[in-house]
């Protein structure tokens, strides 16, 4: 094939490499390949890449200034005319070409800041040893796992001083990235393939296996999947199969049939057969998803838990991605929540994201810790780690509202779940596990968002939470579910207030802010929330304990901050044994008067 027909060229430094390039890149010819070219000159090599890789897009980087190696030689050129020839030669492929004019020391870090990754990188820029090393090293971080880098002119200028030859820079670069590549060709050009997957079979720190570093005393985290099924025989098999396919091997799975009356039990038995990582539990009656989740907490062994909706599916990298984020966050959180691909009842994709999951929230902390300072999974490549770093945010616990993706999208710390467990699951709780745990776990320990879809969230007529995909400006949840979830927040308040002696010690000054956050109400709506008789009854019943834990002053302050009028007086009387101290009563009446005057319209 004549890749250069119709082009305008003064030189040909490319044609003699084409046979080699066709061999090196043959497996990428039918794929959507991203190419980065450093040193484009008249565009010969770019024309080859665009035509041999017909689905490719190319970023061409060149300063279009004369190189020091050509000054005063027969190759010295009018670089303005060279750039015009480049533009004319590449014009037929304009939609697939991105031209970046400038110096590589500025442009390559800029591409990295844009989180760009390339499958093929061709380095043929400035020929000095220093520039060649710099170009190769900066470009290496832009090369994706399994990508190919071709370094030109390895044997160029043998009579020149070492500092003016590419060879020294290339060799220094290869020494720098030793162990990270496979050598494909070594002659006038060097071709290497990036090995992104760590060779170790287990977790590593700075490239060293944790089993060796700890003498076998430290092992990877165990993940517990809990599949909770009720009459989803038509879906639960796919959910189980998706767990079996996880690329993270350190997991167990409990499949709970929650009193189903369809063929679920038979379907579950078929799909777990022969896999010792799975065990099946059958409950006599439907205890609700939250009830079954609470029941499972003393039966799981993993340090991390995901409650899998029986109608969802997990992507193969679900567990490995969540665990990698947990191991690399700037600080530990109660749970991670990843994005989801919404699908219909037959599994056809509807969206690739969930509208509520947004990283750009006030006080969110973007990114992960440095790759060399954290426990690293062998199945998460360096390029994948960079993507996670760019698409993860830690959300502080004082952010309120529903911030996460639903259901199976969430992986919790087991210790936090047990700390916040309402009971042992013996009582039916007909609400969702995430509806309770997401809010209270976040209020206590914060959460992190991963803006990458790691599971498929199925929408269908039997989905109690949502029957339609999430679209900006529209509610996806059902009215009944929303009302029920709002009412259930009082259970979270009840749980914290009843155990105030324990949580005062654990949370300290954060206890009362946590009580307010689990309501999911904005500060200006808290008094309306607590004016509900359910909240009044919770505080009245536990008033003596609240006074004992927080003292008379603290008890009075927190009650009057949330209640007013007769409701506040009834709670205070319960706490003080029937009579309210005069100083407390005066403060409360004064506050109520100020609030009344503030609300009363002026004439």
């Amino acid at each position: 094939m004549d890749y250069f027909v119709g082009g305008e060229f003064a030189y040909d430094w490319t044609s003699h490499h084409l046979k080699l390039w066709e061999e090196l890149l043959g497996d990428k010819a039918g794929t959507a390949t991203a190419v980065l070219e450093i040193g484009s000159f008249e565009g010969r090599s770019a024309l080859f890449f665009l035509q041999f890789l017909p689905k490719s897009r190319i970023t061409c980087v060149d300063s279009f200034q004369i190189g020091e190696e050509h000054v005063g030689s027969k190759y010295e050129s009018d670089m303005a005319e060279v750039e015009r020839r480049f533009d004319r030669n590449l014009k037929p492929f304009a939609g697939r070409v991105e031209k970046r004019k400038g110096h590589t020391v500025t442009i390559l870090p800029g591409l990295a800041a844009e989180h760009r990754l390339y499958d093929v990188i061709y380095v043929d820029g400035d020929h000095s040893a220093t520039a060649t090393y710099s170009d190769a090293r900066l470009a290496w971080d832009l090369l994706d796992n399994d990508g190919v880098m071709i370094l030109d002119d390895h044997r160029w200028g043998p009579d020149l001083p070492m500092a003016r030859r590419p060879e020294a820079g290339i060799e220094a670069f290869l020494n720098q990235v030793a162990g990270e590549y496979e050598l494909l060709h070594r002659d006038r050009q060097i071709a290497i393939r990036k090995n992104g997957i760590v060779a170790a079979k287990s977790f590593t720190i700075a490239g060293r296996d944790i089993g060796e570093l700890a003498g076998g005393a430290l092992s990877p985290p165990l993940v517990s999947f809990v599949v909770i099924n009720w009459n989803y025989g038509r879906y639960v098999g796919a959910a189980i199969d998706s767990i079996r396919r996880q690329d993270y091997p350190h997991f167990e799975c409990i499949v709970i049939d929650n009193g189903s009356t369809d063929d679920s039990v038979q379907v579950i038995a078929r799909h777990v057969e022969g896999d010792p990582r799975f065990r099946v539990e059958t409950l006599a009656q439907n205890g609700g998803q939250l009830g079954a989740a609470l029941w499972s907490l003393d039966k799981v062994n993993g340090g991390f838990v995901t409650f899998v909706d029986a109608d969802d599916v997990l992507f193969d990298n679900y567990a490995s991605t969540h665990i990698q984020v947990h191991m690399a966050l700037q600080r530990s959180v109660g749970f991670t929540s990843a994005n989801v691909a919404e699908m219909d009842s037959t599994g056809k994709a509807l969206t690739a994201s969930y509208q509520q999951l947004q990283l750009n929230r006030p006080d969110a902390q973007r990114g992960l810790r440095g790759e060399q300072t954290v426990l690293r999974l062998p199945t998460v490549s360096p390029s994948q780690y960079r993507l996670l770093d760019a698409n993860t945010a830690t959300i502080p616990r004082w952010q309120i509202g529903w911030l996460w993706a639903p259901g199976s999208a969430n992986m919790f710390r087991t210790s936090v779940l047990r700390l916040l467990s309402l009971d042992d699951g013996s009582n039916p709780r007909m609400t969702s596990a995430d509806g309770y745990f997401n809010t209270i776990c976040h209020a206590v320990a914060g959460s992190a968002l991963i803006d990458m879809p790691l599971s498929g969230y199925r929408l269908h007529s039997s989905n109690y939470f949502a029957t339609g995909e999430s679209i900006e400006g529209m509610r996806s949840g059902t009215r009944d579910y929303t009302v029920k979830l709002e009412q259930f927040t009082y259970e979270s308040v009840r749980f914290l207030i009843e155990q105030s002696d324990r949580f005062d010690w654990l949370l300290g000054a954060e206890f009362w802010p946590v009580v307010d956050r689990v309501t999911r109400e904005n500060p200006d709506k808290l008094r309306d929330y607590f004016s509900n008789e359910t909240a009044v009854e919770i505080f009245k019943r536990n008033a003596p304990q609240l006074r004992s834990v927080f003292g008379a002053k603290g008890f009075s302050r927190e009650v009057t901050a949330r209640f007013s009028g007769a409701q506040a007086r009834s709670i205070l009387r319960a706490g003080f044994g029937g009579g309210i101290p005069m100083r407390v009563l005066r403060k409360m009446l004064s506050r109520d008067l100020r609030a009344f005057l503030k609300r009363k319209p002026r004439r």
Side-chain angles (χ1 to χ4, degrees):
M1 178 179 179
D2 186 353
Y3 298 102
F4 313 121
V5 62
E8 301 178 44
F9 305 100
Y11 306 99
D12 186 357
W13 298 319
T14 303
S15 295
H16 55 289
H17 295 308
L18 298 186
K19 183 178 180 181
L20 170 64
W21 292 359
E22 288 172 342
E23 293 175 358
L24 291 172
L25 305 178
D27 62 337
K28 300 182 184 296
T31 63
T33 306
V35 180
L36 172 64
E37 179 180 71
I38 299 172
S40 294
F41 204 62
E42 298 172 318
R44 274 191 183 271
S45 52
L47 286 171
F48 164 79
F49 292 126
L50 288 164
Q51 294 174 87
F52 184 71
L53 305 171
K55 297 181 180 180
S56 66
R57 299 179 66 87
I58 189 168
T59 303
C60 295
V61 179
D62 203 307
S63 66
F64 292 103
Q65 296 178 4
I66 189 70
E68 183 181 349
E69 66 270 22
H70 294 318
V71 174
S73 75
K74 63 180 180 179
Y75 299 114
E76 186 170 355
S77 305
D78 178 351
M79 293 306 295
E81 179 56 33
V82 168
E83 184 177 4
R84 283 192 286 271
R85 289 200 292 272
F86 170 86
D87 291 339
R88 288 193 294 268
N89 290 335
L90 275 296
K91 186 176 181 180
F93 302 92
R96 295 165 54 201
V97 178
E98 177 187 15
K99 175 183 170 184
R100 295 279 185 115
K101 183 177 179 179
H103 295 288
T104 53
V105 292
T106 300
I107 291 177
L108 297 185
L111 293 172
E114 296 171 20
H115 310 293
R116 302 284 285 274
L117 288 172
Y118 295 92
D119 306 292
V120 177
I121 297 181
Y122 180 46
V123 181
D124 185 21
D126 190 311
H127 284 42
S128 71
T130 300
T132 303
Y133 171 81
S134 174
D135 288 349
R137 189 65 190 86
L138 291 172
W140 187 246
D141 289 336
L142 297 168
L143 187 64
D144 204 350
N145 175 46
D146 203 40
V148 173
M149 176 179 283
I150 302 172
L151 300 122
D152 195 28
D153 293 315
H154 181 241
R155 293 184 176 179
W156 181 85
D159 299 328
L160 294 174
M162 188 65 75
R164 295 178 58 190
R165 294 161 51 191
E167 179 183 2
I170 292 173
E171 293 299 333
F173 162 70
L174 294 176
N175 183 67
Q176 179 73 30
V177 297
E180 299 180 29
Y181 68 86
E182 171 193 357
L183 181 65
L184 303 178
H185 180 80
R186 185 181 182 91
D187 197 358
R188 286 183 293 179
Q189 292 187 328
I190 299 288
I192 57 177
R193 187 185 307 276
K194 189 172 189 178
N195 293 329
I197 301 296
V198 181
K201 295 181 179 180
S202 186
F203 277 39
T204 58
I205 298 179
R208 297 187 63 186
D209 189 286
I210 62 168
E212 297 175 0
L213 289 170
L218 184 64
S219 59
L222 179 67
V223 174
S224 294
F225 292 110
V226 179
V227 181
I228 301 174
N229 174 79
W230 180 68
N231 286 344
Y232 274 170
R234 60 196 184 279
Y235 299 132
V236 68
I240 293 170
D241 290 346
S242 72
I243 296 171
R244 296 183 70 160
R245 291 194 304 268
Q246 292 298 298
D247 63 16
Y248 185 76
H250 310 289
F251 75 83
E252 64 171 8
C253 181
I254 302 175
V255 183
I256 301 174
D257 185 66
N258 213 359
S260 294
T261 57
D262 65 355
D263 63 345
S264 290
V265 173
Q266 293 80 12
V267 173
I268 291 168
R270 285 200 307 271
H271 285 267
V272 305
E273 185 178 7
D275 194 328
R277 298 172 298 181
F278 290 77
R279 64 185 191 271
V280 179
E281 300 282 355
T282 302
L283 303 184
Q285 61 181 6
N286 183 8
Q289 191 190 45
L290 179 57
L294 293 168
W295 181 84
S296 73
L297 285 181
D298 65 352
K299 300 167 181 64
V300 299
N301 300 303
F304 298 88
V305 174
T306 286
F307 300 110
V308 182
D309 291 347
D311 54 343
D312 290 348
V313 293
L314 307 183
F315 295 172
D316 293 2
N317 62 339
Y318 176 95
S320 59
T321 304
H322 275 279
I323 288 295
Q324 183 61 85
V325 170
H326 271 289
M327 295 296 105
L329 286 170
Q330 304 288 346
R331 58 178 179 81
S332 296
V333 295
F335 68 100
T336 49
S337 184
N339 221 323
V340 298
E342 294 174 307
M343 58 185 182
D344 66 17
S345 60
T346 66
K348 295 182 179 65
L350 296 172
T351 72
S353 65
Y354 186 70
Q355 289 293 325
Q356 294 295 103
L357 194 144
Q358 300 172 11
L359 302 189
N360 297 322
R361 296 183 179 276
D363 301 325
Q365 185 177 19
R366 298 292 292 267
L368 305 174
R369 287 186 285 152
E371 186 178 355
Q372 297 298 312
T373 67
V374 302
L375 286 171
R376 289 282 285 106
L377 273 71
T379 48
V380 178
S381 72
S383 60
Q384 291 165 342
Y385 189 90
R386 290 200 302 273
L387 283 174
L388 279 177
D389 179 48
N391 291 284
T392 299
T394 304
I395 309 300
R397 57 184 179 268
W398 54 83
Q399 289 289 314
I400 60 173
W402 185 265
L403 314 173
W404 317 279
S408 309
N410 306 287
M411 181 177 283
F412 301 89
R413 286 188 176 273
T414 310
S415 60
V416 178
L417 292 181
R418 287 175 174 155
L419 173 69
L420 301 172
S421 178
L422 287 166
D423 54 41
D424 62 2
S426 56
N427 300 314
R429 292 193 179 271
M430 310 303 290
T431 189
S432 64
D434 59 314
Y436 169 68
F437 279 127
N438 283 35
T439 299
I440 195 167
C441 287
H442 172 75
V444 169
S447 58
L449 308 180
I450 307 168
D451 195 8
M452 296 171 60
L454 296 177
S455 60
Y457 180 63
R458 198 184 302 269
L459 301 168
H460 53 90
S461 59
S462 300
N463 185 320
Y464 184 52
F465 171 68
T467 56
E469 63 265 40
S470 60
I471 300 173
E472 187 173 2
M474 296 175 61
R475 293 189 178 100
S476 58
T478 64
R479 185 188 299 273
D480 288 346
Y481 178 86
T482 301
V483 171
K484 189 170 185 177
L485 185 59
E486 289 173 351
Q487 288 299 313
F488 196 79
T489 60
Y490 290 106
E491 288 300 306
S492 301
V493 172
R494 184 192 308 277
F495 173 70
L496 292 169
I497 294 298
E498 287 179 349
Q499 302 197 44
S500 57
D501 54 343
R502 179 165 69 116
F503 283 106
D504 173 54
W505 167 252
L506 289 168
L507 301 177
E510 277 291 294
F511 175 80
W512 288 106
V514 167
V515 170
D516 291 342
R517 289 196 290 265
V518 298
T519 70
R520 294 174 56 188
E521 295 287 352
N522 290 317
D524 60 342
K525 299 291 185 182
L526 281 173
R527 277 191 171 266
D528 291 339
Y529 176 91
F530 284 110
S531 67
N532 185 290
E533 284 303 316
T534 301
V536 176
E537 181 59 30
I538 291 170
F539 274 73
K540 282 178 64 177
R541 184 176 301 168
N542 295 280
Q545 177 176 291
L546 291 174
R547 181 193 169 193
S548 173
V549 171
F550 298 101
K553 185 175 180 180
F555 166 65
S556 302
R557 181 183 64 248
E558 299 302 338
V559 169
T560 55
R562 291 163 182 80
F563 301 89
S564 59
Q567 291 180 333
R569 291 193 295 274
S570 68
I571 297 170
L572 291 171
R573 280 195 294 270
F576 284 108
I580 306 174
M582 186 56 65
R583 66 182 185 281
V584 175
L585 186 59
R586 281 199 299 266
K587 286 184 178 180
M588 186 189 70
L589 292 174
S590 175
R591 171 178 289 192
D592 288 350
L593 178 60
R594 289 196 303 270
F596 173 76
L597 293 174
K598 189 175 181 180
R599 291 196 303 268
K600 186 176 180 180
R602 295 183 178 181
R603 294 179 182 267

